[in-house]
Amino acid sequence: MRRVQIAIVGGGPAGLAAASAAASTGAEVVVFDERPAPGGRLAHRRADVTDFDGKPVPAHLLAAQLASAATAAGATIESRTVVWGAFAGGQLGVVSAAGSVLVEAERIVLATGATDRPLAFPGSTLPGVMTASGMQQLLNRHGLRPGGAFVVIGDGPEAREVATDLRNAGAEIIEVSSFSEVEARGDSGVEQAIVDGLDYDVDGIVVAAGRIPDPALAVALEADVQFDRDFGVWVPSADREQRSSVPLVWVCGDVTTTAGAEEAMAQGRRAGVSAAASLTSGSDAWIDAAAAFGDQAQRLAHHSWRRMVSA
């Protein structure tokens, strides 16, 4: 049995912001993240997002800023580590290359994020049909240069972003289409895309149908959930400090809403400060002071990181 004060599940913008804020108060904080490096989806995106100062910065650089801020504040980030279960009494089932262990946490912050929304259509299971996030990981994390021709299915910012990434990698974008009548054809993989009756010869189809919250661990802990009609899924409920209905468990980021990195970071800071404050005091004054201290620490780490990369 391993014991920690605050366990944060998920190393995306919400989880890292929570880690920075909580660790800045002196709490022992461990972030468990299944990805090879922290940052969540930010790590494999190249589009601009909003940083600590409200300024545009490439998403993958913001991921580095957030990780730097968390470690500078004293948090420990354990990558390639999967939390496979959550149980009563603040216990988490955790597995990594070092083996499997049961972690007992005094406080738990769930920042488990969201998954790509699937879109079913004839031929959607053929090799060569991918989600936007999957394609961006191949392009921007693994350096794939696909070439060939692609159709992107989607009509929002995510569709335009992945289309830009594909073009920058040398691919031809034949069509960026809204969610309408789509069919994929081919023998061993995608060879044709039929969109609204128009037939295209393609090498791949990218589905950018948005993202849906991943509440699995919150549900496992029997946290109260509410149905979100926009997402068509159940999401965990949270109060203004991101506390769930389960004592000593907080939820933040895309697991509650997919409003973007800026909102995820704001929720993460609230959750981290509140979780840390609950270890010693429940007073609003203490929470406000800790929040200010946490924000200051994040900004100091952010500016230190800027000096480091510009040196």
Side-chain angles (χ1 to χ4, degrees):
M1 176 78 73
R2 177 183 175 185
R3 291 178 172 80
V4 301
Q5 276 195 311
I6 299 178
I8 298 176
V9 184
L16 293 175
S20 179
S24 293
T25 69
E28 176 202 11
V29 178
V30 179
V31 179
F32 298 112
D33 186 45
E34 66 183 4
R35 296 177 183 268
R41 290 183 64 238
L42 295 180
H44 59 258
R45 294 177 60 196
R46 295 298 179 265
D48 284 351
V49 293
T50 303
D51 72 0
F52 296 115
D53 299 322
K55 298 177 181 178
V57 62
H60 66 289
L61 296 185
L62 179 58
Q65 293 175 16
L66 288 166
S68 176
T71 54
T76 299
I77 301 174
E78 299 187 8
S79 299
R80 300 183 186 273
T81 302
V82 176
V83 177
W84 56 265
F87 311 98
Q91 295 186 346
L92 300 171
V94 178
V95 63
S96 67
S100 183
V101 65
L102 197 62
V103 174
E104 186 177 272
E106 295 180 40
R107 306 290 185 270
I108 296 173
V109 178
L110 298 178
T112 47
T115 59
D116 287 324
R117 182 189 296 276
L119 183 65
F121 53 86
S124 61
T125 59
L126 280 172
V129 179
M130 300 190 65
T131 64
S133 180
M135 177 56 73
Q136 286 182 306
Q137 289 194 54
L138 289 177
L139 294 173
N140 301 327
R141 185 187 292 276
H142 301 292
L144 175 71
R145 294 295 177 262
F150 287 79
V151 166
V152 178
I153 306 299
D155 57 2
E158 185 181 36
R160 294 190 291 272
E161 182 179 322
V162 72
T164 298
D165 286 351
L166 280 163
R167 288 192 187 97
N168 291 339
E172 177 188 2
I173 303 300
I174 293 180
E175 178 76 8
V176 178
S177 174
S178 61
F179 309 111
S180 47
E181 294 187 13
V182 182
E183 181 178 351
R185 292 180 181 177
D187 294 326
S188 58
V190 175
E191 299 172 359
Q192 292 179 305
I194 302 172
V195 182
D196 291 334
L198 299 177
D199 193 342
Y200 303 101
D201 291 330
V202 299
D203 297 285
I205 297 174
V206 179
V207 177
R211 296 175 64 75
I212 53 177
D214 180 8
L217 290 179
V219 171
L221 289 169
E222 299 185 356
D224 287 347
V225 293
Q226 57 189 356
F227 189 74
D228 190 307
R229 295 185 181 276
D230 292 333
F231 297 122
V233 296
W234 295 92
V235 297
S237 303
D239 66 11
R240 68 182 181 90
E241 294 171 9
Q242 304 304 135
R243 288 177 296 198
S244 76
S245 63
V246 179
L248 312 184
V249 176
W250 285 254
V251 291
C252 58
D254 281 358
V255 69
T256 63
T257 176
T258 56
E262 190 172 9
E263 174 61 21
M265 289 187 293
Q267 288 191 14
R269 284 193 290 268
R270 290 197 296 270
V273 165
S274 179
S278 72
L279 290 169
T280 56
S281 171
S283 71
D284 290 340
W286 197 96
I287 291 173
D288 290 341
F293 181 68
D295 285 348
Q296 181 185 31
Q298 288 193 66
R299 290 183 184 277
L300 287 172
H302 163 59
H303 292 306
S304 297
W305 182 88
R306 277 196 183 279
R307 289 194 297 272
M308 177 182 70
V309 298
S310 60

